């Protein structure tokens, strides 16, 4: 049996930071062992930098890849949403081509698994032939309660179309956001038995204003799309608190963005029986013009954090390293090991695939990355990624 042996200045296993260690893998990339360097035998390939498992992108929209550069940066949430709604149509071949390139780009950036939001089944064929692990999160929206059943059935139809190409275990139907899903629709979604559920959460000030006070810029969105929401009555609490009782109680719950989440929101979620993951997509926040989440608060409250890129409609590239760099620039106190755990093990655990991804452990095939040009104190501002296996 032919083995590959790798060592670098530091080995991050997904949980532990080791020095003077080597990673041994077989030709297919399955991890055989992580051992002290002196036990690694001969022909150890030596690198400068850090070895770690492949990255997990916990939140993406592959099917919006053709929208790269179509929406200007800093429009604010409502104009961003309107542009996605009205400008997402494109030639079917162009959509497929852009998705193919985006998936290749993610592989090049060391991404091995993706939590992918789907409003259509457009991504089915790409996923079937991809070496990336995909969990398709079929997203449903509809703020008008009377339309709940119809919207739900449309979502189920998308899921069934995706299931022609992808395992049912790698699929969920999920609510879009607190401001776009009625209580009735939440109830229909919550009746599904699923391992992973996600929701865009507390992304913009407009979302908080609508759900808390019944006013703000989202009224302009509903007017623009001709939906009367006079029926809606705010409860005076945050958008997450408004919908918390309606969210599915089972499966991992991924809350995405969390730019306006507070200690009260975190405390409420910590009472739940299910595992709650807070997924940050900082470059999309910056692109749209939303604030970054209060990352130190989430650390202080000992929450589970993972990372996503969101889509190429609101990002310049699909790179988890770039998201880590953005967070480190904004919060210099963040430790590199923390960021790496969010990018690897936590993302895998959020998608329920921590037995295969996110850790360098014997028998697993998580991908092996070399993070180069790591500066003093774990500074990754000039770092790049190379995939070793
Ligand atoms: Zn998103």
């Amino acid at each position: 049996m032919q083995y590959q042996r790798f060592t670098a200045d530091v080995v991050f296993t997904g949980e532990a930071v080791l020095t003077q260690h080597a990673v041994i893998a077989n030709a297919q990339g399955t991890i055989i062992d992580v051992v002290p360097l002196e036990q690694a035998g001969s022909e150890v390939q030596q690198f400068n930098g850090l070895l770690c498992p492949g990255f997990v992108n916990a939140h993406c929209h592959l099917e919006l890849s053709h929208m790269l550069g179509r929406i200007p940066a800093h429009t604010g949430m409502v104009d961003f949403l309107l542009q996605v709604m009205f400008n997402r149509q494109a030639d079917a071949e162009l959509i497929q081509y852009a998705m193919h390139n985006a998936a290749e780009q993610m592989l090049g950036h060391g991404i091995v698994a993706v939590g992918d939001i789907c409003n259509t089944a457009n991504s089915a064929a790409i996923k079937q032939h991809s070496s990336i692990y995909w969990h398709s999160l079929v997203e449903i929206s509809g703020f008008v309660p009377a339309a709940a059943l119809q919207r739900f059935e449309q979502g189920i139809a998308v899921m069934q179309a995706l299931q022609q190409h992808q395992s049912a275990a790698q699929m969920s139907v999920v609510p879009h956001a607190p401001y776009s899903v009625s209580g009735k629709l939440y109830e229909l979604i919550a009746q599904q038995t699923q391992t992973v559920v996600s929701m865009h959460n507390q992304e913009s000030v407009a979302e908080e204003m609508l759900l808390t006070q019944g006013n703000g810029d989202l009224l302009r969105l509903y007017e623009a799309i001709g939906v009367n929401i006079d029926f809606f009555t705010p409860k005076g609490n945050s958008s997450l608190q408004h919908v918390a009782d309606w969210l599915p109680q089972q499966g991992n719950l991924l809350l995405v963005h969390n730019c306006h989440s507070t200690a009260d929101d975190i405390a409420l979620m910590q009472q739940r029986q299910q595992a709650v993951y807070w997924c940050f997509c900082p470059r999309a926040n910056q692109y749209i013009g939303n604030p970054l989440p209060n990352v130190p608060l989430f650390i202080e409250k000992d929450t589970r954090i993972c990372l996503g890129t969101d889509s190429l409609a609101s990002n310049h590239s699909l790179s988890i390293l770039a998201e880590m760099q953005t967070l480190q620039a904004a919060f210099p106190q963040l430790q590199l090991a923390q960021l790496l755990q969010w990018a690897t093990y936590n993302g895998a655990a959020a998608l329920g695939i921590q037995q295969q991804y996110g850790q360098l452990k014997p028998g697993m095939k998580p991908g092996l990355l070399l993070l180069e040009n790591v500066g003093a104190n774990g500074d990754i501002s000039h770092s790049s990624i190379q995939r070793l296996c």
Side-chain angles (χ1 to χ4, degrees):
M1 178 70 80
Q2 201 65 23
Y3 293 125
Q4 312 178 77
R5 298 169 167 84
F6 306 96
T7 189
D9 305 307
V10 175
V11 176
F12 177 76
T13 65
E15 289 172 311
V17 177
L18 306 172
T19 55
Q20 293 291 311
H21 273 68
V23 180
I24 304 174
N26 69 13
Q28 289 75 41
T30 301
I31 304 296
I32 303 301
D33 213 347
V34 179
V35 296
L37 192 53
E38 65 267 20
Q39 296 170 21
S42 58
E43 295 177 35
V44 180
Q45 298 181 60
Q46 187 142 5
F47 296 97
N48 295 320
L50 178 149
L51 301 178
C52 70
F55 291 150
V56 177
N57 181 358
H59 182 76
C60 184
H61 305 238
L62 187 70
E63 65 187 23
L64 295 180
S65 297
H66 62 286
M67 296 194 75
L68 173 66
R70 278 201 191 183
I71 304 176
H74 314 302
T75 58
M77 195 72 219
V78 167
D79 287 301
F80 175 79
L81 290 167
L82 285 169
Q83 295 223 36
V84 172
M85 283 180 201
F86 291 123
N87 295 332
R88 66 180 289 168
Q89 298 306 326
D91 175 73
E93 199 173 340
L94 176 74
I95 290 174
Q96 293 296 320
Y97 178 74
M99 283 192 293
H100 172 81
N101 285 349
E104 290 294 308
Q105 184 189 119
M106 282 198 269
L107 277 173
H109 286 140
I111 291 168
V112 294
V114 179
D116 189 51
I117 300 288
C118 306
N119 303 115
T120 71
N122 288 348
S123 59
I126 300 269
K127 287 171 177 167
Q128 186 176 13
H129 301 290
S130 167
S131 62
I132 293 175
Y133 174 96
W134 302 90
H135 190 108
S136 291
L137 300 149
V138 176
E139 181 180 79
I140 310 182
S141 61
F143 202 46
V144 178
L149 188 59
Q150 184 202 358
R151 292 304 189 94
F152 180 73
E153 285 171 350
Q154 286 170 353
I156 294 294
V158 170
M159 189 161 80
Q160 285 167 344
L162 282 162
Q163 273 175 13
Q164 313 274 326
H165 303 262
Q166 213 185 347
S167 151
Q170 291 170 235
M171 217 158 286
S172 314
V173 288
V174 303
H176 169 246
Y179 60 84
S180 61
V181 177
S182 64
K184 184 126 191 75
L185 188 46
Y186 272 107
E187 277 169 25
L188 289 166
I189 294 168
Q191 285 167 14
Q192 299 283 302
T193 306
Q194 315 196 102
T195 55
V196 183
V197 185
S198 83
M199 179 180 76
H200 292 83
N201 178 57
Q202 299 181 295
E203 186 174 359
S204 66
V205 71
E207 172 181 338
E208 287 302 308
M209 287 180 76
L210 180 71
L211 275 288
T212 307
Q213 305 159 23
N215 57 22
D217 207 21
L218 273 167
L219 293 179
R220 183 164 64 86
L221 178 132
Y222 280 111
E223 202 178 304
I225 60 174
V227 174
N228 182 337
I229 62 163
D230 287 349
F231 62 86
F232 175 68
T233 313
K235 300 179 201 160
N237 51 11
S238 77
S239 67
L240 179 57
Q241 290 162 27
H242 187 97
V243 302
D245 288 346
W246 297 329
L247 288 169
Q249 301 284 347
Q250 276 157 13
N252 293 343
L253 175 61
L254 277 78
L255 298 173
V256 181
H257 292 303
N258 315 305
C259 308
H260 293 273
S261 303
T262 64
D264 284 348
D265 296 315
I266 294 170
L268 180 67
M269 289 296 114
Q270 284 178 328
Q271 292 169 15
R272 297 178 80 88
Q273 300 294 315
Q274 68 199 141
V276 177
Y277 290 83
W278 304 84
C279 180
F280 300 148
C281 308
R283 291 211 304 163
N285 302 149
Q286 289 180 338
Y287 192 105
I288 294 172
N290 291 317
L292 294 185
N294 185 351
V295 177
L297 175 69
F298 287 90
I299 294 170
E300 184 196 315
K301 300 295 179 188
D302 201 21
T303 59
R304 301 175 183 87
I305 296 170
C306 57
L307 303 178
T309 60
D310 223 332
S311 78
L312 286 174
S314 59
N315 209 334
H316 303 286
S317 63
L318 303 178
S319 161
I320 289 295
L321 174 61
E323 304 295 331
M324 292 164 63
Q325 289 167 328
T326 299
L327 286 177
Q328 192 182 59
F331 305 100
Q333 69 271 39
L334 290 179
Q335 302 293 308
L336 178 55
Q338 273 174 320
L339 287 163
L340 284 168
Q341 189 183 336
W342 303 349
T344 60
Y345 177 78
N346 284 14
L351 298 181
I353 51 170
Q354 69 275 21
Q355 303 303 331
Q356 193 57 251
Y357 295 92
Q359 298 181 82
L360 301 176
K361 271 196 176 171
M364 293 177 47
K365 198 175 167 184
L368 181 65
L369 309 182
L370 171 66
L371 184 63
E372 294 177 290
N373 297 318
V374 179
N377 300 318
D379 176 5
I380 52 169
S381 54
H382 295 98
S383 294
S384 58
I385 282 289
Q386 199 189 128
R387 179 126 185 218
L388 299 180
C389 59

